[in-house]
Amino acid sequence: MVDLNDTSSINNEQQRDLSFCCILAFIGLIAVWLLLMPWIPGIAKQSLQRFHLRTPSFSVWAAQFPIPSMYNFANQYKVEQYPPGFVMMILDENWRYANHFPARVITFFAGRYNFLSSNQDRWFTLKSSYRGQFLESKFHLEAQAEGGYKLIRIDEIEESL
Amino acid sequence: MNKISQVFQRLQPAGFKRPLAAYRLVQAAILISLFWKWKFFLEANSIYANIPVEDPFFPDWLRSVTTIRLAFWGSALATSISLIASVNLLQKICSWLGFFGISLMCIHQGSYNDMTFVTVWWCCLWSVWLAHRLETGQQELLIRRAAFLSRLIISMILLGGAAGKWTPEYWSGEVLFDIYFVDRDFWVFNYLRDTYEPKELQEIAKWYSRQTVIVETVSGIGLWILPARWAALIGTIILSGIVILSNQYLLSVVGCLIGLACVGFLVPRRAQPTVLTAHPTIEKPTAH
């Protein structure tokens, strides 16, 4: 099945295409990043932080967008009307799975409509895990008098990265 | 497989430029992906204006609803012009505009890392690269490179899906059970819920999840190695299967990739080298 002629003709061609080589190198770099993710905890940590919008710098977070990550990790979220610890829930079972980037439950249109239409404070807890690494983040969405919300990251975070 | 290639070959008029056809095919596929998100855009347009979320992580202009409007419409308009333009300069400019617009969508608070925009971004990168080479004299070399790049991109995207699923929660089916099998309104899952008990559904979810992990892993690692037309065929089947067996919304994610995969069908067959064998003539012994 392997048609080496297809690629060897590219390699043998005298006319070089620098942009083509740069894109190949870029794809190769991403592939290496992805293949090492299960074995190098630092890579998975970067990705988990990326999923929770907790990368220390926006630029570093934004630079990772070309890395494809559909349906990655076990991501869960929970939305509450009261601050964590304020009311002990008898049944703490309202966790749902999100396919990827669980913070989008807060920022994307469907989540905003479902959870933030009431203009009342809400507390979001996000959990993501990947091969023994775990990240939990809490966000307070504070309703603003003029409409909309202010997102506040709650410091007491749990992680085992 | 050969028949598909033959159909493509027959459809080609004289003076047919394969790289240009590939370029237009991908522009059309990008537009399908973008407009399959039409409902997203309409709802997002209204919700983001009415329920802003102030988060200092994002710069102000990347939280603004105006930015997302300009980025979406700018990309769609530029891609539409790329599709019909015959002037190469216009194709180059519009490819760059589409690329920048989609890059903004990929980092905007209201659309970041949506897989539709990520897959469209890769198609836009491919388009920018190709737009700058459309007028080359080496059309066959160009279409071969374009097809190779297209299957490499598709492999990498599938590998991205696979690598994040190498977890116990996906191998057990737990994640996809909750996302799809519990309440997703799509024909496959509606049928399964109507037909099987919850216990059986969990077992089906486990095998559904495992086949997803295996297919993505194998195709992520191996699709790019295949010959162009085989990669095009298998890539199209896998990507279409994702839509048919998961949910219709994913057409926006894989629509542009299906267009990118089909570039492989435009790669011409290699001419078989004519081997002139000099068979020694064996003379029959004449009967005396």
Side-chain angles (χ1 to χ4, degrees), chain B residues 126-139:
Chain B
W126 179 92
S127 303
V128 167
W129 169 78
L130 187 60
H132 281 267
R133 284 148 188 81
L134 282 172
E135 294 191 327
T136 178
Q138 296 174 306
Q139 294 277 302

Side-chain angles (χ1 to χ4, degrees), chain A residues 1-10 13 15-20 23-24 26-28 30-32 34-35 37-39 50-51 53-58 61-76 95-110 112-113 116-117 129-131 141 144 146-153, chain B residues 39-40 43-44 47-48 50-59 62-63 102-103 106-115 118 121-122 125-126 129 133 136 138 141-142 144-146 148-149 151-153 156-170 174-176 178-180 182-184 216 221 224-230 234 247 250 267 270:
Chain A
M1 290 285 280
V2 180
D3 183 2
L4 294 174
N5 290 333
D6 252 9
T7 47
S8 64
S9 72
I10 293 165
E13 182 57 39
Q15 187 192 343
R16 291 194 182 276
D17 185 337
L18 189 62
S19 307
F20 180 72
I23 298 173
L24 293 192
F26 185 42
I27 292 172
I30 292 177
V32 169
L34 292 168
L35 287 168
M37 191 164 69
W39 324 112
R50 178 185 170 212
F51 270 39
L53 301 180
R54 281 180 50 192
T55 307
S57 137
F58 176 79
W61 176 85
Q64 294 178 69
F65 85 77
I67 302 169
S69 49
M70 67 276 201
Y71 288 76
N72 274 199
F73 308 156
N75 310 293
Q76 289 180 287
W95 289 98
R96 290 303 307 260
Y97 273 103
N99 48 10
H100 40 233
F101 294 96
R104 299 195 320 184
V105 173
I106 307 166
T107 54
F108 267 36
F109 75 103
R112 288 197 206 189
Y113 181 78
L116 303 177
S117 295
S129 62
Y130 184 68
R131 301 174 71 91
L141 271 291
Q144 303 294 293
E146 63 275 20
Y149 285 82
K150 185 174 181 182
L151 187 147
I152 300 161
R153 286 167 172 77
Chain B
K39 196 177 166 213
F40 157 84
E43 292 182 358
I47 292 168
Y48 294 167
N50 292 319
I51 315 174
V53 173
E54 188 191 330
D55 177 7
F57 183 76
F58 291 90
L62 283 174
R63 284 190 280 114
I102 295 299
S103 300
C106 286
I107 55 172
H108 190 280
Q109 186 199 41
S111 53
Y112 69 86
N113 288 110
D114 186 297
M115 275 312 293
V118 175
W121 185 85
W122 279 101
L125 179 66
W126 179 92
W129 169 78
R133 284 148 188 81
T136 178
Q138 296 174 306
L141 173 69
L142 182 59
R144 287 189 189 282
R145 279 182 172 166
F148 179 67
L149 194 54
R151 57 187 188 267
L152 204 60
I153 289 172
M156 187 241 345
I157 287 171
L158 290 170
L159 183 65
K165 290 190 190 73
W166 295 334
T167 66
E169 293 88 348
Y170 269 96
E174 188 185 330
V175 178
L176 291 185
D178 190 50
I179 292 175
Y180 283 143
V182 171
D183 51 13
R184 178 60 64 101
E216 285 186 353
I221 291 171
W224 66 280
I225 307 171
L226 297 177
R229 286 183 298 257
W230 277 105
I234 293 170
N247 70 75
L250 286 179
V267 173
R270 284 188 181 280

Side-chain angles (χ1 to χ4, degrees), chain B residues 52-74:
Chain B
V53 173
E54 188 191 330
D55 177 7
F57 183 76
F58 291 90
D60 289 350
W61 65 281
L62 283 174
R63 284 190 280 114
S64 157
V65 71
T66 309
T67 306
I68 207 169
R69 283 173 189 155
L70 286 172
F72 185 89
W73 279 112

Side-chain angles (χ1 to χ4, degrees), chain B residues 13-22 134-136 139 266:
Chain B
F16 177 72
K17 289 186 174 174
R18 292 167 194 268
L20 181 61
L134 282 172
E135 294 191 327
T136 178
Q139 294 277 302
L266 291 164

Side-chain angles (χ1 to χ4, degrees), chain B residues 57 81 102 131 143 173 186 207 229 257:
Chain B
F57 183 76
I81 295 170
I102 295 299
I143 191 66
F186 189 61
W207 290 104
R229 286 183 298 257
L257 294 182

